[in-house]
Amino acid sequence: MNNPIRVYYNQDFIASCIKSLFDKPFWDEDSNGNVHKLEESNRLTYLSHTLPSFGFFNLPIGNKLTPIQVRGNIAREVSIKDFREFVIYLLNRVPNGNKVLDRMTMQYSHFFDEKLLTSLRCIEVEPIKDVRSTAYRYYLNGVVKVSSKSDSVTLLPYEELDGLVWADRVIDRVFDEGSIGSFDQDSFLNDITNSPGNHFHKWCQNLCKSQDHTGSWTYNRNRFKALASGFGYLLHQYWGDHKCVIFMDEDMKEGEANGRTGKSVVLNDALSHALKSEVIDAKTVSKKKNLGNQFLFNFLTPSTQYVCFDDACEDFDFSSLFSVITGPLQVNRKYGTMFQFSKNEKPKMSISSNHPIIGEGSSYDDRQHLVAVGGFYRVHKMELGKSPDKLHGGYLFDEEWGDENWKEFDSFCVKALLYYLHNGLVNTGIGDKYHLNKLNASVGSGTLVSTLHRFLENNVGKETYSHYVDGMNDDEKDRCLRDFVEDHLNGETYTPQQITNGLHLVAKHFSYNINVGMKDRPQKRFGADRKGVNLYVITDNKNPFTKPSVDVVEPQFPVSDEVLELFSGLSK
C-alpha cells in the first residue's frame, strides 16, 4: 500500500501551504525581522486560517472527533506527533521561520500541545463509502468505480470526488483502465490454468482442484464461484451480507493440521496488496485459552478495510465474533482513543483454518461463507518436489513481480468485485466431507460419531434409554445409549453429557429425529423401585410416527440426565 506521508510532503503541497502562510501570516515582525510575541489575535489566525490551510481538521466518526490532514480529497489520520512534525518542517523552510518557532515554543500550550487537536475545525466532507451496488478502488492515477447497475468500470480523477479518500487506502500502483474491457462471467469462471499469465487467477483456480484416485487434478467450477464471490465480497467495503469468509482445507483430517495449501496467499498476501489490512493471530481467539478480546482490534484505524484471523486453532471461538459480524465494531486502543465502526462500514473479516469451525445452528451458519481449498500446492511441494515458484515462474507478490503481473492482479480484483456485485455470495463447492469433519470435531471423536450413528441406525423406530437400570429386560438393555457406547469404544471414555449432546448432533447430521412431538425430556421407569431413565424415541423419514409406550413421565421443566439420575436415587 502507498505510504501516506508522501502525499503531504510533496513539493507542490508544501509550496501551496507556504503561499497560504504568507497570504495571512499568524505572526508580526518589525522591519529588522524580529518576531513579536504571539498575542491572542495571532493565535486566532493560527487556528482559523493557518491550520486549515495546512489541511488540518477534525473528522466526526460516530460520536468521536478524529484529527486528520487533507490534501485535495485525500486524508490521513494524524497524531500530535504528525501535527508537530509537519508544522516544524514547513516553518523551517520560510524566512524567519526559526524565529517564529522559537516564539511558538515559548508559548507551547497554544501551538503544540495535544489539546490543540480538539480545537481543529470540523470538516464537512465525509469519506467516500461503498454502497450495495457500487465499489471504489483507489490508485495513484485515480479512483476506480465499479458498478453493477451500469455494469461499468470507470477511472475518476480525485479532484472530481464528492468525498474524502483515506491516504493509506491508495494503492501504490497505476491502474490500467483498458485491462478490463467488457466483463464476461463465463470467461472469468472458465479454467485458465493451462494458459499464459494471470498467475493469481490461476492460483485461485488451482486451489479449487481435487485429485482423483489416478492422481489427476480436476477443476471444480462451483468451488471457484464460492472463492471468487468471497474474494469480491472482502474487497467490497459494504456489509450487504453480514458474513465472515472462511477458507479451510478440503482434505482436513481429525487430529491433524496439514495446511500448506495456499490459503494465506489469498487471504493475507493478495488482500494486503489490495486493501488496508490487519492480520490477527487466530490462536488468541480460543475457548481454552480464554485470553479475552478487549484489545483484539487494537491496531485497527478508521481507514482499516480488512481483518484476517490467520490459522485458527481447533477450539476457535467463532461465537465471540457474532456481535462484530452482525453489528457495529468497537475498537479499544491500548494507547489511543476508542472509536466505533458502523455495522455496514466496518472492515471485512476472514478466517483461515486447517480445522472445522465448531458450532451448530443458524447463528453460526448464517454468519459464515465457506470456501474449501484443495491440496494442489501441498501435494506438488511435499510429494512431487515442485514448489509454487516452479509452477508460476516465480513467487507471487514478491519484488520480481513485474508491471504486467500487477496489472493482471488488479484486473482480477475488479472482475471478482463485479462477479460478487452481480451474484452475491455463491455458496457452492462445500462437500459432505467438510460437514462430517465438523461433526467429528463438535462431538469430539470420529469413532464416537460412528458409534452413535450405528446406535441410531440400529434403533430407528424404537424406544431407547440413556443407560441401564435394574428391571430392564435383555432387549431393553441392548437399547441403552451409554452402555452401547462403552461396549463399542474399546476403553475410550466420555461423560454422560458428551454422549447425550453427541447423540443429538449425530441425529441431526444424518436426518434422524429424537422425541418428535414429545414435550421436554421424557423419562421411563423400570422395576419395583420405579427408577427412571431418560427416554429417546428415534424416528426417521421412513418411520415418522413411532410413539413411546404408556409408562412414560414427562417432566414439567427440562432437566439434565445427571439431575434426573440423582432425583431417582433420592426417591429410591
Side-chain angles (χ1 to χ4, degrees):
M1 305 298 288
N2 185 34
N3 180 355
I5 296 178
R6 295 193 319 195
V7 175
Y8 304 95
Y9 286 86
N10 174 276
Q11 190 173 17
D12 292 338
F13 184 60
I14 294 297
S16 70
C17 291
I18 292 174
K19 181 180 182 302
S20 68
L21 190 63
F22 282 107
D23 286 343
K24 191 174 183 179
F26 65 90
W27 68 92
D28 300 311
E29 58 183 79
D30 59 27
S31 58
N32 295 322
N34 297 313
V35 177
H36 300 169
K37 181 181 178 181
L38 301 173
E39 304 293 346
E40 183 177 349
S41 60
N42 302 115
R43 298 196 295 269
L44 183 60
T45 301
Y46 181 73
L47 287 172
S48 63
H49 172 74
T50 305
L51 296 184
S53 72
F54 290 177
F56 290 110
F57 296 92
N58 265 316
L59 175 67
I61 300 179
N63 59 353
K64 301 289 184 181
L65 293 177
T66 298
I68 62 171
Q69 187 179 19
V70 180
R71 179 194 175 187
N73 285 316
I74 301 176
R76 66 163 174 160
E77 183 183 11
V78 293
S79 65
I80 189 62
K81 179 175 179 290
D82 300 322
F83 173 84
R84 292 170 187 150
E85 286 178 350
F86 186 85
V87 172
I88 293 170
Y89 177 88
L90 199 136
L91 285 172
N92 271 316
R93 276 151 183 77
V94 301
N96 275 354
N98 58 333
K99 295 180 180 179
V100 177
L101 283 171
D102 289 342
R103 285 292 185 184
M104 294 170 71
T105 303
M106 293 171 66
Q107 297 169 260
Y108 190 88
S109 63
H110 293 297
F111 295 95
F112 289 125
D113 189 81
E114 188 166 11
K115 293 179 181 178
L116 188 69
L117 296 182
T118 63
S119 301
L120 296 175
R121 288 357 185 203
C122 284
I123 194 167
E124 296 181 0
V125 184
E126 294 184 352
I128 289 180
K129 301 172 184 176
D130 288 5
V131 294
R132 190 176 295 275
S133 61
T134 305
Y136 296 92
R137 309 273 302 135
Y138 310 108
Y139 290 87
L140 293 178
N141 59 327
V143 178
V144 178
K145 180 181 179 181
V146 182
S147 171
S148 60
K149 280 189 175 180
S150 58
D151 201 22
S152 62
V153 179
T154 311
L155 186 64
L156 304 172
Y158 283 97
E159 294 77 17
E160 295 183 9
L161 300 180
D162 294 325
L164 301 176
V165 173
W166 290 110
D168 51 5
R169 288 185 178 181
V170 178
I171 299 168
D172 197 14
R173 298 190 293 276
V174 172
F175 184 79
D176 182 2
E177 192 175 9
S179 64
I180 303 299
S182 59
F183 176 62
D184 179 72
Q185 289 197 34
D186 280 338
S187 298
F188 178 63
L189 298 173
N190 286 341
D191 184 3
I192 64 165
T193 52
N194 291 321
S195 62
N198 295 287
H199 288 284
F200 180 70
H201 193 154
K202 292 195 288 188
W203 183 283
C204 293
Q205 290 191 331
N206 282 334
L207 297 185
C208 299
K209 291 181 176 180
S210 298
Q211 191 176 29
D212 62 22
H213 65 282
T214 67
S216 299
W217 293 92
T218 303
Y219 168 64
N220 187 322
R221 185 183 175 101
N222 282 336
R223 189 178 296 170
F224 182 67
K225 290 179 181 179
L227 187 153
S229 65
F231 192 79
Y233 167 75
L234 293 175
L235 290 171
H236 187 215
Q237 295 300 290
Y238 177 82
W239 282 71
D241 298 286
H242 291 278
K243 294 181 185 289
C244 178
V245 176
I246 302 174
F247 276 38
M248 84 292 295
D249 293 345
E250 172 196 27
D251 56 352
M252 60 180 67
K253 296 179 181 179
E254 186 180 345
E256 296 183 12
N258 288 317
R260 313 303 298 167
T261 54
K263 300 186 296 295
S264 63
V265 171
V266 179
L267 295 184
N268 288 5
D269 299 344
L271 285 167
S272 70
H273 290 287
L275 297 171
K276 177 67 165 42
S277 306
E278 288 292 342
V279 177
I280 295 175
D281 183 357
K283 293 183 179 64
T284 62
V285 189
S286 165
K287 290 182 179 179
K288 289 180 182 176
K289 293 181 180 179
N290 193 27
L291 298 177
N293 294 329
Q294 181 182 1
F295 298 109
L296 182 64
F297 300 107
N298 174 59
F299 295 105
L300 271 59
T301 70
S303 60
T304 304
Q305 297 170 291
Y306 167 65
V307 176
C308 175
F309 293 94
D310 187 42
D311 197 16
C313 52
E314 288 181 274
D315 68 332
F316 183 85
D317 187 9
F318 187 78
S319 64
S320 68
L321 301 180
F322 280 3
S323 62
V324 298
I325 291 174
T326 55
L329 171 58
Q330 182 81 27
V331 176
N332 296 323
R333 291 167 160 177
K334 290 182 180 178
Y335 308 106
T337 58
M338 67 175 60
F339 66 94
Q340 181 171 280
F341 291 101
S342 71
K343 65 180 295 185
N344 287 332
E345 297 166 11
K346 59 183 176 283
K348 289 294 182 69
M349 300 177 191
S350 76
I351 300 170
S352 68
S353 178
N354 300 323
H355 309 280
I357 303 298
I358 298 176
E360 298 293 332
S362 59
S363 293
Y364 288 86
D365 297 341
D366 197 45
R367 289 175 169 88
Q368 299 178 2
H369 174 71
L370 303 176
V371 178
V373 173
F376 180 87
Y377 288 105
R378 181 177 62 233
V379 170
H380 276 81
K381 182 176 183 179
M382 307 304 292
E383 298 181 16
L384 303 178
K386 292 182 179 180
S387 57
D389 62 306
K390 301 297 190 298
L391 298 170
H392 291 275
Y395 288 101
L396 276 63
F397 306 114
D398 74 356
E399 62 278 0
E400 294 182 1
W401 248 35
D403 291 341
E404 186 66 22
N405 297 118
W406 286 113
K407 183 178 78 172
E408 291 172 346
F409 170 69
D410 290 329
S411 173
F412 178 87
C413 290
V414 170
K415 290 175 182 177
L417 262 170
L418 279 169
Y419 183 75
Y420 166 70
L421 292 175
H422 279 297
N423 301 281
L425 286 169
V426 182
N427 295 301
T428 57
I430 294 295
D432 294 337
K433 187 173 182 180
Y434 170 76
H435 294 292
L436 182 58
N437 283 328
K438 180 179 176 181
L439 177 66
N440 292 342
S442 298
V443 172
S445 161
T447 305
L448 180 57
V449 167
S450 298
T451 301
L452 293 171
H453 185 206
R454 189 158 59 248
F455 180 81
L456 291 161
E457 193 175 38
N458 291 351
N459 294 295
V460 66
K462 303 175 184 178
E463 291 182 7
T464 61
Y465 316 102
S466 59
H467 62 283
Y468 174 78
V469 294
D470 292 339
M472 289 182 174
N473 58 38
D474 290 343
D475 181 55
E476 290 167 335
K477 181 179 180 181
D478 290 339
R479 288 182 271 124
C480 291
L481 174 63
R482 291 184 213 162
D483 305 85
F484 183 89
V485 169
E486 289 173 3
D487 290 343
H488 289 80
L489 284 186
N490 300 321
E492 291 185 31
T493 58
Y494 296 92
T495 66
Q497 192 68 32
Q498 285 177 298
I499 295 172
T500 302
N501 291 344
L503 179 70
H504 288 277
L505 291 173
V506 174
K508 180 181 179 181
H509 180 86
F510 290 105
S511 300
Y512 290 96
N513 303 309
I514 298 176
N515 296 344
V516 172
M518 301 172 69
K519 296 180 180 178
D520 298 321
R521 187 176 303 182
Q523 189 181 43
K524 189 165 183 178
R525 301 189 180 282
F526 291 91
D529 294 331
R530 309 299 295 156
K531 189 170 184 179
V533 294
N534 281 357
L535 171 74
Y536 308 113
V537 178
I538 300 169
T539 57
D540 61 10
N541 292 333
K542 296 179 181 178
N543 302 274
F545 301 116
T546 301
K547 295 183 179 180
S549 60
V550 295
D551 188 17
V552 173
V553 176
E554 294 187 355
Q556 297 303 305
F557 53 90
V559 293
S560 67
D561 289 354
E562 292 78 5
V563 171
L564 284 171
E565 290 175 30
L566 178 61
F567 180 79
S568 298
L570 291 173
S571 63
K572 180 178 176 181

